[in-house]
Amino acid sequence: ACGTTSENSGGGGGQTTGASTKCKGTGGKYVIGMSQANVAEPYRQRMDDDIKAAAKGVPQFEVRFTDAQQDNARQVSDVENFVTQQIDLLIISPNEAKPLTAVVKSAYDKGIPVLVLDRKVEGDAYTEWIGADNTEIGRQAGKYVAEKLLPSGGKIAEIRGLAGSTPAQERGDGFRDAIKGKNIDIAVSQDGDWLRDKGQEKADAILKSNPDVQVIYAHNDPMAEGAYLAAKAAGKQDSLKFIGIDALPIPSGGIKAVEAGRLSATFVYPTAGKEAVAAAKQILVDCQQVPKTQTLQTQLITKENATEVYAKANGG
Amino acid sequence: MDSVVLVELAAISKSYGGVRACRNVDFAVRAGEVHALLGENGAGKSTLMRVLSGDLADYEGTVTVDGQPVRFHGPADAQRAGIAMIHQELDLVPGLSVADNIFLGREPRTRLRTLDRRAMLRETRNLLRRTGIDLDPRRPVGDLRTGEQQLVSIAKALSLDAKVLIMDEPTSALSVAEVDRMFTVITELRRAGAGIVYISHRMDEIGRIADRATVLRNGSVVAQFDAREMTAEGAAEAMIGRPVQTMFAHDPAAQGATLLEVDGLVVPRHRSGRRDPAGISLTVRHGEIVGLAGLLGSGRTELLETLFGAGGSWRGSIRLDGKPIRPRSPRHAVRLGLAFVPEDRRISGLALDHSVLANTVLSIVDRIARFGVVSRRQEMSETTRMVHDLRVKLGSVRDPVSALSGGNQQKVVFGRMLLTEPSLLLLDEPTRGVDVGAKAEIYQLLGRLAEGGMGVLLASSELAELVGVCDRVIVLRGGQNVAELPTAHAGEAELLAASMGEVVPL
Amino acid sequence: MTAEVVGVRRHTIRTTVFRFQSLFGLVAVFVAAILFSPSRNGELVFLSSGNLFNVVRAISEKGIIAVGMTFVILIGGIDLSVGAVLGLTAVASADLMVNNDWGVVPTVLLVLVVGLVFGLLQGVASTAFRIQAFIVTLAGLQIARGLARIWSGGQGIAISYGTDPGEAPVAFSLLGERTFNGLVPIPALIFVVIAVLATLFLRSSAFSRHVYAIGGNEKAARLSGIPVTKVKIIVFGICGLLTALAGIIHAGQLNQGSPNDGLGYELDAIAAVVIGGTSLAGGRGSVGGTVAGALLIGVLNNILSLNGVNSDIQLLITGFVIVVVAGLQRLRPAA
Amino acid sequence: MTAEVVGVRRHTIRTTVFRFQSLFGLVAVFVAAILFSPSRNGELVFLSSGNLFNVVRAISEKGIIAVGMTFVILIGGIDLSVGAVLGLTAVASADLMVNNDWGVVPTVLLVLVVGLVFGLLQGVASTAFRIQAFIVTLAGLQIARGLARIWSGGQGIAISYGTDPGEAPVAFSLLGERTFNGLVPIPALIFVVIAVLATLFLRSSAFSRHVYAIGGNEKAARLSGIPVTKVKIIVFGICGLLTALAGIIHAGQLNQGSPNDGLGYELDAIAAVVIGGTSLAGGRGSVGGTVAGALLIGVLNNILSLNGVNSDIQLLITGFVIVVVAGLQRLRPAA
Ligand SMILES: Nc1ncnc2c1ncn2[C@@H]1O[C@H](COP(=O)(O)OP(=O)(O)OP(=O)(O)O)[C@@H](O)[C@H]1O
Ligand SMILES: Nc1ncnc2c1ncn2[C@@H]1O[C@H](COP(=O)(O)OP(=O)(O)OP(=O)(O)O)[C@@H](O)[C@H]1O
Ligand SMILES: O[C@@H]1[C@@H](O)[C@H](O)OC[C@H]1O
Ligand SMILES: [Mg+2]
Ligand SMILES: [Mg+2]
């Protein structure tokens, strides 16, 4: 009865029945498996926390979490184990796209609806992808630097995410795209592996080798905070500007850092946790179809809106 | 013999797993005596003394000190009760200096509770002087030669000022001169009222120093002697339970062509600068047993190691069966038909955790393998043959070598090299720690091997052995040969004199 | 005074017990897994053949590496580079097939050679200059990781199958497949074969005697005429070779060769070896133990996941189980 | 028949050279850093005091841990738990001050006790059941990481300073500051003090002789009446204690205590110790060497970053430099 395919979902395969057969309406009990790529990054921990919080509001749901510790192979096993447990729905935030495609497909082919968050898998053997556009976020960051921080051009430093990860690639590309022709020079670019202490260490050296940079663009907030700490140690925290990405609404997150004036700006990188639970409810409880793609919007956080956004995100 | 009894062991029994090492042993040490503890390898001597020194805590029987029954829970307890032991296997810490080793566990401290190095160095110098060795107390023990280490152990034991000093084969790596020096020390201690337990397989030493002797066989006391009534033969017979065969039985007649020819061999790493460039020259013929005599540090070990490709750089020439050779590595030397039994079996000879079997066939695994697969049958038969030929006393050939008594461990190393069927056997103190019975067997074996055409170069600090076994003895001093004595004409006295640098008229 | 042969029986019993000692922990964990297994339709989920094969597949890469690591640890060495070498060889496999259109056989051969040579070079560096293996392979880790990044341009190289240029030969996709009625994963098969071969080799080859002897007492081994340097170099080569095999499987399993692959695998592989009762000091241990160690960790992860145990609690439980298992192994009376 | 006194002088020279041996590599890298330093306004950036202090600050946490690790390695042990214990103690520091309004002194004391106890427990587990330290501390790693995650709820605890509830005492922020005209970072000072104290302690305490003896020949140590078990337990305790100190500094430096902090620090700390010439077999080494090892890595990272060297190439260079430095140390003639 509940079995209609989302019109966005490509043809073929078992996905048509996928979403439907699992739907037992409000009377059912559902076990959802959430396969997280790693929980060492605050952003991902927050994604899990968001899912946990949202699932509290759906009494029919029990969510089980796994942590693949940044290992594709481990995440493949995690998904296999979920399939063995015959979960009713899989949420996955893949470590990398290609290596998880096959196992996600095999789960999907067994009729398990699959929600993919943040990073993608290849092909169309999943029910819905929910996430944000990293190139766009990078572009907005570039735009902010070009328009607000260095309207007449200048030198900046970039602290990048883990080499080889797609967000690092896309955030770098989008940024470069936006500053093209704006007389802004990326004087130095170093890998900070998404980590706060790495960000600090790299910024230490950057401030020595390129003391004339005016802005540090970090691919996430932890690294931006690390860079700020390095600048503070060098007594340069006021003459330099820092921007990051993620804007997690937690005490150690970027919104608070902007509010406190450490970062000039950060950009919301939505975790999609809340949206994922909503989609799961639509599929399992409401027996509805969901769109194949749900792109979440970013938001620029500056001192002006930080307090308000933070309060709102925490239910205020 | 009416002096005070310092310690008394009553009805001591001790087993390791299924092996009964001591059965119901009674033993006492009196003030002012040197009490020799004799017995063949594995008889239980070390075990009994490890009980007395607090090293083994789980045993049956009672230990009485000064009339009070005691139970030691560790060596420290025994030391506090005035009992110290020099262990058979040198137990020093190679990375620490001589002084650190001597005071290990009871370091003198300054008022600030820091190490009192000055006191340590001063005391160490005194102790070393008493033992008759001139060493820098700051040198790491690991840099010292075996004999020097043994002297450090002795100095360490002396520093304890013990009432009862147990010496488990303290002289096995020492040569005559050092032994003499040590006996002087023992005599001083005895005079001061200490009781000394003396374990040795060198029967001549027992005769010289002991006041009393207790003989163990298979873990039980089988005889007690007074020094006056004890003969070497009698003691030996008590030890092995039957009359000893003739010790030395080699017939020097059957010698053949020259096997080894060493000419002007100098090991230049000698930093003394005193090394005469003449170096060492000697020959060994097929079927000949040639001895190497010398004092501690005279260069015997170094020569053997060089011949075996295990030393450092050297110059000179070595010929084997007339062909010049330059042994690059022990492997190369083995291929050339050389075999070497090193002087310190624990460090250089054995993987102690591994079975007797694995240790025995180590040098011949390639030979007993077909297509790279070791033949278990041959492995077992070769090992059994060796165990039998050398009369190794053990539980099972699969037991770890560490479960064997010291002398039997030595036989395993010896046996391993014999299995390579060498043409030239290089032996460095091969009977160190080996009991009289087994020594006789080894000598006979050497005799047989020599008669079969093998050449033997045997370095030893036991003059009786050199004189008894060898056809000729070459005396080294300061890295060169200073004398050559045919044993048919020369005895221990001449060897000693030559070793000390006196010119010996022949 | 013939050699006494007392204790042969005692010995046999002890040996037998000892043979199985490295299995104690595995058996205990296995039993616990059965007890705690969720059940579905009256069947224990843990024991379902699908699940058991998943367990073996999941450990097969690390298991193969751990077999190589067993050799290295037996000589008293250690190899920290394996995780990075796995990444390097996975990248190499993907690049050769995808970007250079190599066939499966030449790719596999070349990649195996890459692993072998990397291992041999580490062996040479450590023996020629007498540098501790820890240091050499720590450097090797960085070098292999750097090479993998440079080779791949920092990005994972995705593998898709077909005959077009830019596609890998379909045959390679077998590594991701299951055989025997879709039941047995191919990597698991390879792992079992490697483990059996290595066990036989370590039990009965002359070479293995040399390996054990070097770990037991290197100086004694040298004086016994064993070519110590050569054996050590070969052992590092074996470890590199097996790691390359694991890297190839990894690429096949995940359809990608990424320079970040294998991060931290070195500790897992060493853990399997040590939990399996092999001494880090060298000279003592077996491949059987290593396989048991790897299985133990695999079973533990599996049963915790099947029960949906939260990953933080998993860490605690895993930690405690490891200590208890290691403790069990020490029950053996001292020799 | 006096024994010859050859080699006393030779010995002194060798000792002296050997004393400085662990510095060879550091000196070489330092010289290279000067040669390759970018310059600004005629001044070498690398040598500017600000930069040099950055280098020391950057290594201070790992350096302090490495000092503790030196003790553990000297007894022939190893401690893999340090990274996780750093995370645990950083979380503890943040949580106590931020969420429980503790003062600086009670926080620091309790956190130090946490580290100490964790270390002692590992020491007990490893000695009481005679389990290899590798295994015990591998388990300890998982347990500490699990505890840290549970304690913090998985997310870093941010520290801001002030007197309100939820704010940490301002005094704690000193850990992130610099002193002496804003030049010398406080963590660097603490590191130097710890290193000096540890050096003096290892040089001149009786306890240190026991540590060296246990690593050099455990049996001899036991026969000399040294309480081997007790010393070992204390050594693990020292390492835990120093790691906790590093954890506190970490929290102060980053204004946050996160359960993921310290990931992989164990290998870095061990590397510093081993590059500093301490033998993993135990019994040989010094804190001076460890400091040199840590500095070497710090200088290398710094100069590579100053030159903007790409991170892939950094890996390669670091790998090669480590091998070469280790090779340099082996130049010493064999004893
Ligand atoms: N650690 C051990 N484990 C098992 N058996 C042992 C152990 N130590 C000694 N034994 C056995 O106990 C018996 C007595 O050994 P012990 O070392 O006391 O002999 P010993 O008289 O000192 O011999 P040696 O003259 O060769 O030193 C031997 O059979 C030996 O194999
Ligand atoms: N590794 C070394 N370190 C220091 N000195 C050495 C070393 N090797 C040899 N020597 C010195 O070389 C000389 C010859 O030593 P060697 O051991 O060959 O003599 P030996 O006659 O066998 O004495 P020993 O009874 O000590 O075995 C001695 O002066 C010794 O101190
Ligand atoms: O900080 C985030 C990082 O941890 C994740 O892996 O990718 C997106 C980033 O914003
Ligand atoms: Mg003995
Ligand atoms: Mg000698």
Side-chain angles (χ1 to χ4, degrees), chain A residues 264-277:
Chain A
S264 304
T266 179
F267 297 83
V268 174
Y269 186 54
T271 68
K274 201 172 72 198
E275 292 79 3
V277 173

Side-chain angles (χ1 to χ4, degrees), chain D residues 312-333:
Chain D
D312 305 348
I313 310 283
Q314 280 202 20
L315 284 170
L316 291 187
I317 296 181
T318 310
F320 281 113
V321 170
I322 289 178
V323 178
V324 170
V325 165
L328 276 181
Q329 276 180 15
R330 309 305 315 193
L331 288 181
R332 165 169 59 106

